[in-house]
Amino acid sequence: MKPYLLSIDQGTTSSRAIIFDQQGNLIHSASQEFTQHYPQNGWVEHDPDDILQSVLNTIKQTLNESGITVAQISAIGICNQRETTLIWNKKTGKTIYNAIVWQDRRTAQYCHELSEQGHGELINAKTGLLIDAYFSATKIRWILDNVEGARHAAEQGELAFGTVDTFLLWHLTEGQSHFTDATNASRTLLYNIHTHSWDAELLALFDIPRSMLPEVKNSADDFGTCHLFGAPLCIGGIASDQQAALIGQGCFTEGMAKSTYGTGCFLMVNTGKLALTSHNKLLTTIAYQIDGEASYAIEGSIFIAGAAVQWMRDNLHLFRCATDTEDLLAKTNLNHGVYFVPALTGLGAPYWDPDARGAISGLTRASGINEIVSAGIQSVGYQTKDLLAAIEQDGISIHTMRIDGGMAANNWFMQFLADILAINIERPVTVETSALGAAYLAGLHKGLFDSTAHIQQLWQAEQQRQPQLDREVVSALYQGWQDAVRKVLVCQ
Ligand SMILES: Nc1ncnc2c1ncn2[C@@H]1O[C@H](COP(=O)(O)OP(=O)(O)O)[C@@H](O)[C@H]1O
Ligand SMILES: O=P(O)(O)OC[C@H](O)CO
């Protein structure tokens, strides 16, 4: 009997290994943070060894602590921070450069040139994405152009590229599997989301050899076998973390929405079989691919959400622990007039301004720590409202949104979201939704779940919040936010 699923959630700031049962209950988890490297202004890197070791450590820890044996695990699911780019030697498995993280802005100038040259429309039509340093392609190109000998080695077919899923898979299968899934492929700027293939024209544009790229599979598929933990373990599911959260939140029906509040915030709406094109700078992306059939989502991506809380904690030392913010917020009126625009790594959707930088405005002699912290947390709600407005302008209306991620644990924030967005907000019992989504995919592959409808029924609300704040108050607060954002924008 193999009643459990093991999920790996390799995120931006930490790695987690979580064991779930077949009802989607979290049985045991282990997590490990790792170091962020900021070698230059706007650059963000991870040591590939930290990524790998933290994953292996947490798997061992969760197995040891839970007492669950490998023989009781049906399959592994992997979900991962998206877009982050790694390149390694196919023979040795050794990476040739650090992982360039999704937040890294080093290729912003090159992206600007591509836009100036008029490539935006073609790229958007094929990939559903916009030209931005966020995605993998320009990071791959940067490594090939800046690491000595890399381009030559790539042209000789000696190098492999992967997003974090592919990198982990390579090591978990000891070099046997060079695969990714359609959701991860859809974040590279190289994958045609309509023809479901790596796009020759885009590979030529970015000057990236085809031989580096992994084979693209379904999100629930046979990704290989891991022999590292004493007995063979099938790897049966892979999805990028935000798409995995959509799955873990049971958002399989067209129009269902989730928003994940981790380092950044990623709001996704399932658009079913329709790859809807946004006219408001949202992304079109593959939500999941099962049995050869892709479902799509429209997405708004905010680069700094929980990271603003982290920054206020670590750089300004305004509180000791993220959970302390709730007490502080409970004591603070909403109408303090302070706005914090957390453009610490530029602004994502719907502004896409890599050169915008953060600002705190509206300070008076009455302002203090409480007001600044409140402004920081409110900024995540306002940014979500910016996304919701763009989604509505694209013709989609949302009445309920399911939330998850570290910051979703904050009850004050949850109520503020309901108020400022004027929609219902729901939080599930299992907030580790990305890991859960990856586990579900692995379970689907193994036949533990017979359909996505089966998975959808497992979702349970832990808390629901309705809007309470007066509309005029909401409108005045949001107006103040829009004024504050205008002041930091560089690309108008
Ligand atoms: N109670 C809280 N209130 C506000 N923010 C929080 C709270 N708990 C955690 N966070 C924020 O959530 C983030 C961690 O969420 P997580 O989902 O683990 O992120 P990631 O997967 O990006 O590493 C941190 O940036 C942290 O500041
Ligand atoms: O690791 P997270 O949870 O911050 O998610 C990061 C996103 O996948 C970036 O696109």
Side-chain angles (χ1 to χ4, degrees):
M1 175 74 164
K2 295 190 171 189
Y4 300 112
L5 291 157
L6 171 65
S7 195
I8 298 167
D9 179 357
Q10 204 304 299
T12 310
T13 57
S14 66
S15 300
R16 276 181 279 249
I18 305 184
I19 297 172
F20 292 98
D21 68 15
Q22 291 179 33
Q23 278 67 50
N25 297 311
L26 191 155
I27 302 300
H28 197 81
S29 80
S31 75
Q32 189 179 320
E33 288 199 12
F34 54 87
T35 312
Q36 309 289 310
H37 298 274
Y38 307 106
Q40 291 189 31
N41 180 17
W43 292 28
V44 189
E45 296 181 2
H46 291 162
D47 181 335
D49 211 41
D50 285 349
I51 294 179
L52 181 61
Q53 290 311 323
S54 60
V55 166
L56 297 178
N57 291 343
T58 52
I59 293 176
K60 285 178 200 152
Q61 192 185 336
T62 200
L63 287 170
N64 285 339
E65 289 175 356
S66 66
I68 289 169
T69 64
V70 173
Q72 292 173 288
I73 293 174
S74 179
I76 298 182
I78 301 175
C79 64
N80 54 289
Q81 52 168 322
R82 307 173 300 173
E83 300 98 13
T84 297
T85 295
L86 297 112
I87 297 180
W88 60 94
N89 183 292
K90 285 180 185 168
K91 273 208 192 101
T92 63
K94 245 178 94 66
T95 44
I96 62 165
Y97 191 75
N98 269 348
I100 302 187
V101 177
W102 57 277
Q103 293 164 314
D104 191 290
R105 310 267 94 210
R106 78 186 65 189
T107 57
Q109 178 55 30
Y110 171 55
C111 289
H112 182 67
E113 288 160 23
L114 285 171
S115 298
E116 292 283 291
Q117 290 159 12
H119 294 293
E121 232 171 88
L122 175 94
I123 289 177
N124 183 247
K126 286 174 183 264
T127 66
L129 308 175
L130 303 165
I131 299 178
D132 193 86
Y134 176 25
F135 307 107
S136 313
T138 64
K139 300 180 198 293
I140 302 175
R141 185 186 159 106
W142 188 93
I143 295 176
L144 294 185
D145 286 346
N146 289 277
V147 174
E148 205 186 327
R151 184 160 288 286
H152 178 71
E155 278 158 6
Q156 298 302 306
E158 292 165 10
L159 299 184
F161 151 75
T163 38
V164 170
D165 56 314
T166 305
F167 170 73
L168 290 176
L169 187 62
W170 181 282
H171 287 280
L172 289 173
T173 61
E174 295 160 279
Q176 295 304 303
S177 296
H178 189 209
F179 302 134
T180 190
D181 90 301
T183 65
N184 275 295
S186 78
R187 312 298 296 189
T188 57
L189 221 55
L190 298 171
Y191 189 69
N192 190 316
I193 60 169
H194 309 289
T195 61
H196 304 285
S197 56
W198 297 117
D199 192 277
E201 200 175 355
L202 295 178
L203 288 172
L205 175 67
F206 291 107
D207 204 4
I208 294 171
R210 172 75 182 75
S211 60
M212 297 179 73
L213 304 179
E215 182 187 325
V216 183
K217 291 188 160 238
N218 289 311
S219 311
D221 215 321
D222 180 5
F223 288 97
T225 305
C226 172
H227 294 277
L228 300 181
F229 304 103
L233 265 173
C234 159
I235 302 167
I238 291 187
S240 49
D241 57 7
Q242 300 308 319
Q243 279 81 339
L246 192 77
I247 295 166
Q249 288 275 28
C251 294
F252 292 108
T253 309
E254 217 176 301
M256 287 184 84
K258 73 88 201 181
S259 194
T260 301
Y261 296 93
T263 303
C265 153
F266 303 90
L267 199 174
M268 281 190 161
V269 188
N270 190 325
T271 60
K273 302 294 163 231
L274 179 69
L276 191 128
T277 302
S278 170
H279 300 288
N280 296 287
K281 298 194 176 174
L282 300 169
L283 308 173
T284 310
T285 197
I286 295 182
Y288 42 86
Q289 183 176 304
I290 293 167
D291 292 335
E293 240 195 296
S295 291
Y296 295 89
I298 197 143
E299 171 182 325
S301 327
I302 300 170
F303 298 148
I304 301 285
V309 179
Q310 231 166 21
W311 183 81
M312 292 190 290
R313 184 195 63 187
D314 300 341
N315 294 42
L316 301 188
H317 307 286
L318 298 185
F319 44 85
R320 273 195 322 122
C321 169
T323 47
D324 296 347
T325 57
E326 279 204 55
D327 276 351
L328 218 141
L329 290 159
K331 291 185 215 140
T332 314
N333 282 330
L334 274 176
N335 57 349
H336 45 66
V338 180
Y339 286 91
F340 173 11
V341 183
L344 308 179
T345 53
L347 283 172
Y351 307 101
W352 297 104
D353 190 338
D355 299 320
R357 287 296 174 264
I360 299 175
S361 60
L363 295 169
T364 67
R365 289 191 66 164
S367 318
I369 290 177
N370 289 16
E371 287 69 27
I372 295 175
V373 172
S374 168
I377 301 228
Q378 281 172 271
S379 77
V380 182
Y382 296 133
Q383 291 184 92
T384 312
K385 192 168 174 74
D386 292 338
L387 298 181
L388 207 68
I391 289 170
E392 276 169 5
Q393 280 168 32
D394 276 329
I396 301 174
S397 51
I398 296 172
H399 307 290
T400 300
M401 191 171 78
R402 296 181 171 178
I403 64 167
D404 52 70
M407 201 175 166
N410 187 315
N411 290 321
W412 187 95
F413 172 65
M414 188 174 175
Q415 183 58 50
F416 182 69
L417 266 183
D419 286 332
I420 202 76
L421 304 180
I423 62 172
N424 301 324
I425 303 293
E426 297 181 333
R427 191 167 65 197
V429 171
T430 306
V431 285
E432 295 286 359
T433 53
S434 293
L436 181 60
Y440 281 153
L441 287 169
L444 263 180
H445 173 65
K446 294 299 275 185
L448 302 186
F449 311 108
D450 46 29
S451 63
T452 53
H454 178 175
I455 293 171
Q456 198 163 20
Q457 283 163 10
L458 297 174
W459 190 88
Q460 283 175 40
E462 176 265 331
Q463 199 163 149
Q464 292 168 316
R465 296 290 176 109
Q466 283 85 36
Q468 290 171 352
L469 203 60
D470 186 81
R471 273 171 181 245
E472 276 176 27
V473 177
V474 169
S475 169
L477 287 172
Y478 188 54
Q479 182 65 52
W481 163 257
Q482 289 175 308
D483 294 342
V485 170
R486 258 192 295 277
K487 289 182 202 149
V488 308
L489 290 179
V490 177
C491 312
Q492 296 279 356

